[in-house]
Amino acid sequence: MIQYWTTLASVMGVWAFFQSLMHTVFPPEIRFLFLKIVHRLFNWCSVYCYYDITEIDGVNTNELYNAVQLYLSSSASIIGNRLSLTRGLNSSSITFGLSNNDRLVDSFNGVIVIWEHVVTQRQSQTFSWRPLPEDKRAFTLRVKKKDKAVILGSYLDFVMEKANELRRKNQDRLLYTNSRGGSLDSRGHPWESVPFKHPSTFETLAMDPEKKREIMNDLLDFANGEGFYQRTGRAWKRGYLLYGPPGTGKSSMIAAMANFLGYDIYDLELTEVHTNSELRKLLMKTSSKSIIVIEDIDCSINLTNRKKSGGSGGGGGGGGGRSSSNAVVSSYDGSPPGAGAVNGGGEDGGNTITLSGLLNFTDGLWSCCGSERIFVFTTNHIEKLDPALLRSGRMDMHVFMSYCSFPSLKILLKNYLGYDESDLENKMLEQFEEVVEKAEMTPADVSEVLIKNRRDKEKALRELLETLKMKAEKLKCMKKDEDEEQEKRALEIPKGAKVDGDDVQKGGNEEENLVEDGSVDGDDDNAATTITSKLN
């Protein structure tokens, strides 16, 4: 053993002697050139090539480094033995990553690549405006030379796309609203945000399954259709109009769309926007992959149908083009024609949003300042909206949110009571199917009955069935009374009398004029007799 250590010491002494001799005989330039030649020879003989992706590029953060780190986290969580765990800001999940100087093997289209996370100590820094981290971090990508074209082309783009998808999936979605009066927050943004935690999904949405499947397929085609929209020269956006009675699930539909696609929601309050210019600024401050919502558009401001309004806002009864869409959005308030000032919202009554401005917001040049955005309008009275706002290109898909149907009822029973169709008796199902369409109850009304009795499932079913029957009977009586009233009116018309719709309308207008002129007191019991005599 002693002889072994003696021999090792002699060898190390000889090596130190030759090293000092080489440093003395050969100058540093020759030694550097020799090492360079050896390195090139090694690279020429090697079948691999290497690419370094550093954490910091100069003084800026390298986005590709963050994308690779996020992309590898999906694979590292499966095959890694030693991982680093992180949780980002506004993130609802934990991210896995490679530990220091660890490596991971990945494949893409049959090509094998090796990622290695290299962490080294940074040399002492000189003066810098931005202090750098003590560790120098980088990912080293090793691939075969014959696969270099594939990796540098499509693979890195695939890594970036996958990282963006993971980032949207892990990050909490946000619900934005425009600040009061268009004021800016501390960061200069007109939108205020809160975390979006709505639990609604298409699975729990009380709606016909076929209609839900159609909407989901349309949303997927839109989200995956970047190439299609670029090829056809269309802006990457889509419009949805949700209309129907109150309580039919329009807001829940919007939440389900956002959860399905992983998009943020911008809830635009039009009454807080004063001018078309402010409306455009709000649009410019929205991000891609988002849903821009205007709820109850017929209530927030009055979108007068120009064909029925007689041109009070400056638009003729035109066919919906923007050239004739300068009608003021809110109803006319006595301002001179063409002034465009309306009392559409705000404390000072200075809301001057025009229909033309709203159309440009949804389908004009300004709507193209972002990509992958969905516009959703909701209304309870679609007949009040101008046809220019409803055409394809602005509202591409019209979704009628109807009263609770039998398929919707089965979804609600599963959501609130945990009942599948097989858990209910056939007789009970037949009774529900027979009466639910006639009752015309909204999903919100049905849900309220189930929530109230959710602790006693049998009682909930009985009370819901009684409520549906009572509602259906009440509607039946109302319709019967209406039919009898119409028959009574028809019998009061003398035989042979020709009634023209315009004459009836004219007579009604003349009656109103008589009351307004003071010729007839509207509160007088004999008002009807007086009006009849004057008209005759």
Side-chain angles (χ1 to χ4, degrees):
M1 188 66 180
I2 298 176
Q3 185 178 1
Y4 169 78
W5 287 108
T6 303
T7 305
L8 181 61
S10 302
V11 172
M12 293 180 63
V14 172
W15 171 253
F17 172 75
F18 277 105
Q19 188 177 15
S20 61
L21 181 63
M22 291 178 62
H23 282 205
T24 304
V25 175
F26 300 102
E29 292 80 4
I30 296 179
R31 296 199 306 270
F32 178 76
L33 180 60
F34 175 76
L35 293 176
K36 188 175 181 180
I37 293 174
V38 172
H39 183 67
R40 287 186 177 182
L41 183 61
F42 174 78
N43 290 337
W44 182 76
C45 297
S46 176
V47 296
Y48 293 99
C49 54
Y50 300 83
Y51 301 96
D52 292 331
I53 303 174
T54 58
E55 181 183 14
I56 298 176
D57 182 15
V59 295
N60 299 320
T61 303
N62 190 352
E63 293 184 4
L64 183 57
Y65 176 88
N66 295 331
V68 171
Q69 188 177 34
L70 190 58
Y71 167 73
L72 294 180
S73 66
S74 59
S75 300
S77 61
I78 301 175
I79 64 177
N81 294 324
R82 184 175 181 179
L83 307 174
S84 61
L85 307 180
T86 57
R87 181 171 180 174
L89 184 64
N90 291 332
S91 178
S92 58
S93 61
I94 297 176
T95 334
F96 300 88
L98 290 179
S99 298
N100 299 346
N101 303 317
D102 201 355
R103 63 176 57 191
L104 184 144
V105 179
D106 190 23
S107 62
F108 177 76
N109 292 338
V111 177
I112 303 299
V113 299
I114 299 176
W115 289 97
E116 184 177 0
H117 194 205
V118 180
V119 180
T120 57
Q121 190 73 20
R122 191 181 298 274
Q123 297 180 356
S124 59
Q125 302 180 34
T126 57
F127 175 76
S128 176
W129 293 104
R130 179 185 177 185
L132 298 177
E134 296 181 358
D135 295 333
K136 184 178 180 181
R137 301 172 178 269
F139 284 104
T140 299
L141 174 61
R142 188 178 76 176
V143 297
K144 292 185 178 181
K145 293 180 179 179
K146 64 177 183 178
D147 301 325
K148 181 167 59 175
V150 177
I151 297 303
L152 294 182
S154 53
Y155 178 64
L156 293 180
D157 293 337
F158 169 76
V159 169
M160 292 291 294
E161 294 176 2
K162 190 68 174 179
N164 290 332
E165 293 179 5
L166 292 172
R167 187 178 292 110
R168 289 198 308 270
K169 181 179 178 181
N170 296 336
Q171 188 175 8
D172 288 343
R173 282 171 291 281
L174 298 177
L175 174 62
Y176 293 87
T177 183
N178 49 313
S179 305
R180 181 173 178 81
S183 59
L184 304 179
D185 61 7
S186 58
R187 298 173 298 169
H189 294 290
W191 296 97
E192 298 175 354
S193 64
V194 294
F196 181 70
K197 300 290 187 180
H198 201 292
S200 177
T201 62
F202 278 107
E203 183 179 356
T204 60
L205 188 64
M207 190 178 182
D208 182 67
E210 291 296 329
K211 190 64 176 179
K212 285 196 294 186
R213 192 174 299 110
E214 179 184 353
I215 296 173
M216 293 168 65
N217 292 336
D218 188 77
L219 291 172
L220 287 177
D221 290 341
F222 168 79
N224 301 325
E226 180 179 9
F228 168 78
Y229 283 93
Q230 289 182 351
R231 186 173 65 255
T232 55
R234 292 173 58 94
W236 194 7
K237 65 179 184 61
R238 191 155 181 81
Y240 289 82
L241 176 67
L242 309 181
Y243 66 99
T248 51
K250 293 184 285 292
S251 298
S252 297
M253 168 66 77
I254 296 172
M257 294 169 64
N259 290 328
F260 181 67
L261 295 177
Y263 287 4
D264 293 334
I265 295 180
Y266 289 84
D267 186 13
L268 178 60
E269 180 58 53
L270 283 180
T271 57
E272 299 295 341
V273 185
H274 299 136
T275 63
N276 293 337
S277 177
E278 288 185 8
L279 194 62
R280 289 194 295 267
K281 291 178 181 178
L282 287 171
L283 180 64
M284 293 172 61
K285 292 295 184 178
T286 58
S287 62
S288 300
K289 300 183 182 298
S290 59
I291 300 177
I292 302 173
V293 180
I294 302 180
E295 287 197 276
D296 297 323
I297 191 171
D298 57 309
C299 299
S300 57
I301 51 179
N302 184 15
L303 288 180
T304 306
N305 188 334
R306 289 167 291 152
K307 290 185 178 181
K308 297 181 180 180
S309 62
S312 64
R322 261 192 299 276
S323 60
S324 62
S325 300
N326 293 324
V328 178
V329 167
S330 300
S331 58
Y332 182 65
D333 65 344
S335 302
V342 294
N343 189 11
E347 297 176 354
D348 56 355
N351 190 318
T352 57
I353 303 175
T354 63
L355 180 59
S356 176
L358 188 61
L359 297 181
N360 277 281
F361 177 82
T362 56
D363 190 35
L365 294 176
W366 290 99
S367 67
C368 306
C369 62
S371 61
E372 200 172 348
R373 287 186 298 198
I374 295 177
F375 293 87
V376 178
F377 288 2
T378 69
T379 180
N380 297 333
H381 305 283
I382 189 175
E383 68 278 359
K384 293 184 179 181
L385 302 183
D386 194 281
L389 191 64
L390 304 179
R391 72 164 178 82
S392 298
R394 289 163 185 158
M395 295 295 108
D396 303 287
M397 193 171 185
H398 295 189
V399 181
F400 176 60
M401 309 296 291
S402 62
Y403 291 106
C404 187
S405 61
F406 184 59
S408 302
L409 179 62
K410 290 189 291 185
I411 295 175
L412 292 175
L413 292 177
K414 182 178 180 180
N415 291 343
Y416 293 100
L417 303 181
Y419 278 145
D420 289 325
E421 186 174 358
S422 58
D423 298 331
L424 299 175
E425 298 179 358
N426 293 333
K427 184 178 180 180
M428 178 72 71
L429 288 174
E430 291 174 358
Q431 291 179 338
F432 276 123
E433 186 175 8
E434 180 182 356
V435 75
V436 67
E437 300 285 351
K438 302 176 182 178
E440 294 186 1
M441 288 183 63
T442 64
D445 295 333
V446 174
S447 301
E448 183 59 30
V449 177
L450 298 178
I451 291 174
K452 184 174 61 175
N453 302 285
R454 65 184 182 275
R455 294 183 179 87
D456 190 346
K457 298 182 180 181
E458 296 297 331
K459 180 182 177 181
L461 291 176
R462 291 194 305 268
E463 184 169 338
L464 177 60
L465 185 58
E466 293 175 0
T467 305
L468 290 172
K469 289 181 178 180
M470 183 174 60
K471 186 74 174 178
E473 186 65 25
K474 183 177 179 181
L475 288 177
K476 182 179 179 180
C477 294
M478 291 176 59
K479 291 180 180 179
K480 184 178 180 180
D481 293 341
E482 290 178 359
D483 294 340
E484 292 177 355
E485 184 69 21
Q486 290 179 359
E487 292 178 0
K488 184 177 179 181
R489 291 178 181 176
L491 292 175
E492 291 177 354
I493 300 176
K495 291 184 178 181
K498 184 179 180 180
V499 181
D500 184 65
D502 295 333
D503 294 337
V504 175
Q505 179 68 27
K506 180 179 179 181
N509 293 337
E510 290 181 2
E511 292 178 6
E512 294 176 359
N513 293 335
L514 289 174
V515 176
E516 292 177 358
D517 293 339
S519 302
V520 178
D521 186 1
D523 297 328
D524 192 356
D525 295 335
N526 298 323
T529 305
T530 307
I531 291 174
T532 304
S533 62
K534 285 183 175 290
L535 289 176
N536 293 334

